[in-house]
Every structure is written in C-alpha cells, then in structure tokens.
C-alpha cells in the first residue's frame, strides 16, 4: 500500500494539536469528538472520514474470517467528475483519448467525450467520469496525492446506511440499493452528489455508477466470467474457492461479480471511481 | 521515499547498462551475425546494438515492457522487463512457499519447454515473478531455483508491491493474500513476443500446454 506521507500530513493540518499522536489514533480521536461526516479540514478537500469499521465479504474462502477490520480512512464524498478528469488529462497528455496506450485503456476510453479536451453534451461537467480504465483512475488518484480505495474500504463505506452503520437494517437503504440495480444507466449520467448521503456524508455509493477499487483483482469467483474454462481448482491456487456467505446482500454480490469480470484496461459506460487517502 | 526510488532507479539503470544480466540476444558477443533487429547497415555501429535499440526504437503501444519497474533477480541484480526484449518469453506469477499450485505451474512450464525444439528452447526464457514481496527474498528465490532445477533460461524476479500489482493487472492475474499467509492466485501462463506484447494466455493447471509451445515456437524465426 502506498502511503503519501506529506499529503496525509497536510490532510491532518486542521488538527495540529493532535499531530503528536500517531495518525490513526489522532483520526480516531477526532472521529470521537466530531459528529460523523463533519470533519471540517477534509471536507474542504472533498474528503470524508470513514471511522474504523469492518467489512464482511460476501465471497470468501473457507478459512477466511467473516469480518475484515478496516482502519479509519478518508474517502471522497463524490465520484470524480468529467470536469475534474478533464483537468487531469490537460495536465497529463498521455492520458488523453487520442494518446492513451492500448495497454492501459481499451478502445472506448472516454468515448462519450466530444474530443480529447472537450466534454460535449454526453459528458456534463458535473457528471461522474466513466469509460476510464483502472490504470487511468489510479494515475488520476496518484496525481492528486491520493489512491483508489480498497475493496474492503469501499464496501465498508457503502455498507453504512443513511442513519446508522448498518444500511442493511434500513428499508430505505435496501430500496435505493436494489432500485438502482433494477434500472438501466441513462446515456447521460446525472451530476455527482445528487444522491442521498450515507451517515458518514458520502454520496452516490449505491445509486449512480459502479466504481473501481484498487484491488478489484482480488475478487475471484468459481470459474472466471471472462470465458476461461476448466475447474476452478485448476484456475486458482488455495483459497480461491470463494463461497457465498450472505445471500441477502444482493447489491454486494453484484459488485463482486462486476469486479471479478473486469480487467484493468477495461472501460465501461457506467464505471467510474473516487479516491481515498490514508490518514 | 520518492527520492529513494529515483536514486534506486538511477542506480538500477546504471547497473543495467554496466552489467546487463539478460542481454538481448543480438548483443551477445558470440552472435554469428547481426540479426535484422540490429540493422547496422545505416550506421558504423559505434555502440553496442542493444543500447542503440533502446535509444532508437520506442516500445510498441501494447508492449508490457512499458511497465518499467525495477525488479530484483534471485542473483540480487536489478532487472527491468524491457531487458528481455528481443526474444519470446513465457511469464507466470507465483510464490516460492506455495504448496499446491505453483509446483504444478512450474511443472507445466517445464512440460511446455520440453515440447520446444532445442534451438527455440535456447532462446525462449521463462520469467517467474513472485507475489510474495515479504518472504521471497533473492535467497528464497535461489532456493526455489535449486529445488526445481531451473537453468539459466529461467528468470526469477521479486519487486515492490506496486510493481507486482501493476504486472498482475497487465497480465490479468488475480491474487489475494489469505488469512493463512498463502496467496490465492490465477494460474496463468502468458506468452510475450519479442516486443513484449501478449500473444497467448493459458489458464489453469495440468492442462494441454502444446498450444503454449506452438505459440512460442512461432515467434522464433526458422534459420
């Protein structure tokens, strides 16, 4: 895991008094003192503190624990927009549509933009950027001194409800999460931040676009959905035999299925991303 | 951190130029005649041809050798993947303490190599890159080489977590460190051509590797 120490430090600036504490401890203390989602210093940078929690993988090997501890981290409250990604490709020409190496992004990369440096009607400035590869998403995050969230971090944030930590217990959360899966994505996506925020203050996790995570390639299902044939035991070593653990969390299954089907150069019309930062 | 990396890359680049561990075949002094890749006709060839190649011909758009991380071999030397340019390569990812799949994976690779004509076998390298950035030190990789009797055509590499993740992403290899300290991973053999482009992938263990051998053989020009 890359830790961008200077940036992490600057994210901590509002809490100079706490800087003598180890980072995670300071953040935990801050989290305890402030209402969730109201960490002022990060808010300016579009980041929200997600307090320490757990991730319960829907797919896991026989010997894997039911819960994975997730340390406190900072997550962008909204997915990255077309306007923000445009600024990035202005700055880094090798990620422009006409220049990107096919090794790092399939044909179709930013295909809905009007041009290399022109968004056009299908890509409103405030809509989430989509049709970006994992490589491009990660390069964007790195340019910002951030990183992509891990699967555990992303799922831990998305498992929180509108009112409490366990979204699965809230009928409204279940309705929203399942409702989005039942609808096709519109050709022109709505603006980021347009969806109701989680209890931590994170928008659009359930019902805007799919999102890249840093370690999407850790999701292994029985028989790759990419067309490989043969028995799972021959495809994967050891604990690759991930079995379903919680059949009630359908959206999380869908996300796991989505991740297992991806490759890092793929671009998808409703797959975007947001960045994270270790405190 | 960053300065360290830069220093390391510079150091590594220097080391690569000074003592290339895996010289492109056209650079070997014993080469009977310059291959077409060296194209010495236009110039009096003042520099070794591999240096010229690197300087003059950019990597292709689909070349995996754009991945320019510096790896460490089991001999403890810095290696860039681009130093493999010039001949076909079979790449696989593994970890040395793997109990089940990796010995089989190595056996599959040995079976594929056994199917190659000797002149092809003498050119096509096998590159094994470990997932295990903690335990697979050069010493651990050397022990692995000894245990499986891997000759000099086998290149064993370790790298940073980022380099491993990048390579896995480029190859489409999935992997995950499990609770027992073992890596669950795809068993994938990837054939790269002389430019480092993926020409074939073979998934699974104990399968028919003859296609892998055929693809490799097709990349070596008949002399």
């Amino acid at each position: 895991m890359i830790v961008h120490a200077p940036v992490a430090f600057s994210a901590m600036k509002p809490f100079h008094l706490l800087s003598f504490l180890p980072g995670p401890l300071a953040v935990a203390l801050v989290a305890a003192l402030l209402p969730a989602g109201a960490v002022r210093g990060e808010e300016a940078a579009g980041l929200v503190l997600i307090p320490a929690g757990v991730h319960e993988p829907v797919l896991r090997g026989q010997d894997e624990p039911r819960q994975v501890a997730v340390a406190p981290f900072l997550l962008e409250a909204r997915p990255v927009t077309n306007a923000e990604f445009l600024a990035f490709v202005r700055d880094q020409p090798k990620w422009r549509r006409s220049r990107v190496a096919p090794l790092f992004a399939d044909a179709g990369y930013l295909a809905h933009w009007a041009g290399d440096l022109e968004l056009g009607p299908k890509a409103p400035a405030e809509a989430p950027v989509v049709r970006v590869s994992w490589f491009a998403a990660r390069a964007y995050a790195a340019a910002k001194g951030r990183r992509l969230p891990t699967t555990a971090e992303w799922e831990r944030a998305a498992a929180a409800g509108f009112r409490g930590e366990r979204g699965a217990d809230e009928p409204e959360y279940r309705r929203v999460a399942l409702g989005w899966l039942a609808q096709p994505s519109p050709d022109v996506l709505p603006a980021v931040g347009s969806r109701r925020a989680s209890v931590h203050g994170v928008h659009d996790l359930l019902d805007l676009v799919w999102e890249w995570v840093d370690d999407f390639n850790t999701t292994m299902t029985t028989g790759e959905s990419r067309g490989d044939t043969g028995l799972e035991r021959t495809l994967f070593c050891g604990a690759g035999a991930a079995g379903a653990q919680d059949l009630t969390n359908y959206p999380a299954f869908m996300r796991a299925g989505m991740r297992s089907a991806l490759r890092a150069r793929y671009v998808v019309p409703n797959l975007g991303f947001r960045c994270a930062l270790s405190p | 951190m960053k300065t360290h990396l830069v220093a390391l890359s510079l150091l590594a680049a220097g080391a690569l130029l000074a003592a290339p561990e895996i010289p492109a075949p056209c650079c070997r002094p014993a080469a009977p005649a310059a291959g077409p890749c060296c194209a010495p006709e236009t110039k009096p060839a003042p520099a070794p041809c591999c240096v010229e190649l690197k300087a003059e011909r950019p990597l292709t758009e689909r070349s995996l050798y754009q991945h320019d991380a510096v790896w460490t071999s089991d001999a403890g030397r810095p290696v860039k993947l681009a130093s493999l340019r010039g001949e076909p390569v079979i790449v696989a990812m593994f970890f040395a303490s793997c109990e089940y799949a990796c010995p089989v994976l190595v056996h599959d690779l040995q079976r594929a190599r056994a199917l190659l004509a000797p002149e092809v076998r003498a050119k096509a390298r096998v590159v094994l890159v470990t997932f295990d950035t903690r335990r697979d030190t050069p010493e651990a990789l050397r022990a692995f080489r000894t245990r499986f009797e891997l000759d000099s055509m086998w290149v064993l590499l370790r790298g940073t977590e980022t380099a491993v993740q990048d390579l896995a992403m480029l190859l489409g290899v999935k992997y995950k460190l499990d609770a027992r300290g073992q890596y669950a991973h795809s068993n994938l053999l990837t054939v790269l051509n002389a430019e480092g482009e993926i020409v074939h992938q073979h998934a699974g263990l104990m399968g028919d590797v003859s296609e892998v051998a055929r693809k490799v053989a097709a990349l070596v020009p008949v002399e």
Side-chain angles (χ1 to χ4, degrees):
Chain A
M1 198 60 51
I2 314 163
V3 179
H4 300 277
V7 181
F9 180 75
S10 72
M12 291 299 297
K13 261 180 197 157
F15 315 114
H16 274 317
L17 290 175
L18 299 167
S19 61
F20 62 90
L21 291 172
L25 193 58
V27 168
L29 190 54
V30 168
L33 295 174
L34 294 171
V39 180
R40 289 171 211 106
E42 279 78 21
E43 220 165 54
L47 291 161
V48 168
L49 177 76
I50 309 296
V54 292
H55 163 52
E56 298 185 3
V58 291
L59 300 174
R60 61 186 165 86
Q62 286 177 337
D63 303 324
E64 290 184 88
R66 201 170 64 83
Q67 293 190 327
V68 178
V70 179
F73 69 103
L74 301 162
L75 185 64
E76 290 181 347
R78 297 166 173 79
V80 174
T81 65
N82 284 310
E84 290 166 331
F85 204 78
L86 176 63
F88 165 68
V89 302
R90 267 189 209 288
D91 200 43
Q92 299 208 13
K94 72 170 184 171
W95 291 106
R96 290 179 194 172
R97 192 171 76 185
S98 64
R99 304 210 199 160
V100 72
L103 188 70
F104 299 119
D106 275 350
Y109 174 75
L110 296 175
H112 59 307
W113 284 18
D116 255 14
L117 297 173
E118 196 185 338
L119 298 180
K122 287 183 180 167
E126 289 311 304
V129 68
V130 289
R131 295 182 193 270
V132 286
S133 64
W134 177 88
F135 291 110
R138 201 182 52 155
Y140 173 97
K144 228 176 154 181
R146 297 182 183 175
R147 58 177 175 81
L148 297 178
T150 63
T151 305
E153 287 172 340
W154 198 99
E155 288 294 333
R156 182 263 177 274
F162 300 121
R163 285 193 290 274
E165 282 288 355
R166 282 190 57 84
D169 295 343
E170 298 174 21
E172 175 68 2
Y173 172 95
R174 294 199 300 270
R175 194 189 63 75
V176 167
L178 289 168
W180 183 70
L181 292 173
Q183 300 289 328
S185 288
D187 280 349
V188 178
L189 292 162
V192 301
S194 58
R195 304 300 200 248
R196 189 171 170 187
S198 75
V199 67
H200 303 124
V202 185
H203 292 268
D204 313 324
L205 284 169
L206 306 173
D207 48 353
L208 188 61
V209 285
W210 304 103
E211 294 181 18
W212 282 111
V213 288
D214 184 63
D215 57 346
F216 76 91
N217 70 333
T218 58
T219 307
M220 286 174 255
T221 52
T222 301
E224 287 200 79
S225 44
R226 302 192 304 225
D228 294 329
T229 56
L231 286 173
E232 178 277 335
R233 186 166 165 77
T234 69
L235 287 175
F236 297 118
C237 170
Q245 303 299 332
D246 178 7
L247 294 165
T248 60
N249 197 348
Y250 182 69
F253 267 109
M254 292 296 284
R255 289 192 291 267
M258 176 78 178
R259 284 174 200 135
S260 75
L262 289 171
R263 288 189 71 152
R265 61 166 202 278
Y266 283 11
V267 300
V268 180
N270 58 358
L271 176 62
F273 70 101
R274 72 179 77 210
C275 306
L277 189 63
S278 301
Chain B
M1 181 75 179
K2 244 177 197 162
T3 45
H4 277 149
L5 275 179
V6 171
L8 186 65
S9 331
L10 287 175
L11 192 73
L16 282 176
L17 284 180
E21 184 181 28
I22 304 157
C26 58
C27 309
R28 280 179 208 138
C37 62
C38 300
E41 289 91 53
T42 50
K43 281 185 182 178
C49 65
C50 57
V51 174
E52 258 183 79
L53 273 177
K54 275 173 193 160
E56 288 182 6
R57 209 157 44 86
L59 294 166
T60 61
E61 284 189 321
R62 292 187 185 277
S63 174
L64 238 65
Y65 299 157
Q66 294 173 79
H67 179 28
D68 63 352
V70 178
W71 305 83
T72 305
S73 74
D74 62 324
R77 295 224 185 96
V79 176
K80 278 198 175 195
L81 292 183
S83 63
L84 299 159
R85 196 178 183 188
E87 298 290 357
V89 167
I90 310 175
V91 188
M93 298 185 78
F94 83 116
F95 66 108
S97 53
C98 179
E99 289 151 10
Y100 169 66
C102 304
V104 183
L105 193 70
V106 169
H107 181 65
D108 282 355
L109 284 160
Q110 285 169 328
R111 282 196 298 131
R113 278 182 63 72
L115 295 172
L116 298 172
E119 63 271 24
V120 177
R121 205 181 309 142
K123 290 187 171 176
R125 286 197 164 79
V126 177
V127 178
L128 291 177
V129 181
T130 179
F131 297 108
D132 197 338
T133 52
R134 289 172 305 126
R135 285 171 297 190
D136 283 352
T137 58
E139 295 73 37
L141 294 179
R142 269 204 301 281
F144 189 84
R145 179 187 289 281
T146 308
R147 181 176 156 210
F148 288 93
E149 300 175 352
L150 307 176
D151 66 27
S152 64
M153 292 306 284
W154 294 67
V155 179
L156 273 56
L157 300 178
R158 72 188 305 270
T160 63
E161 273 184 40
T162 308
V164 169
Q165 186 188 30
D166 277 347
L167 183 64
M169 290 293 184
L170 289 169
L171 295 172
V173 167
K174 300 184 174 209
Y175 68 104
K176 185 179 192 177
L177 181 60
D178 73 16
R180 294 168 304 164
Q182 295 269 307
Y183 287 83
H185 60 90
S186 313
N187 295 307
L188 199 62
L189 308 184
T190 302
V191 178
L192 304 181
N193 65 17
E195 286 301 318
E197 300 166 336
I198 295 176
V199 295
H200 180 65
Q201 291 199 301
H202 172 86
L205 293 174
M206 297 176 287
D208 178 5
V209 291
S210 59
E211 186 63 15
V212 172
R214 266 196 300 277
K215 294 286 184 189
V216 172
L219 294 168
V220 177
V222 183
E223 285 172 19

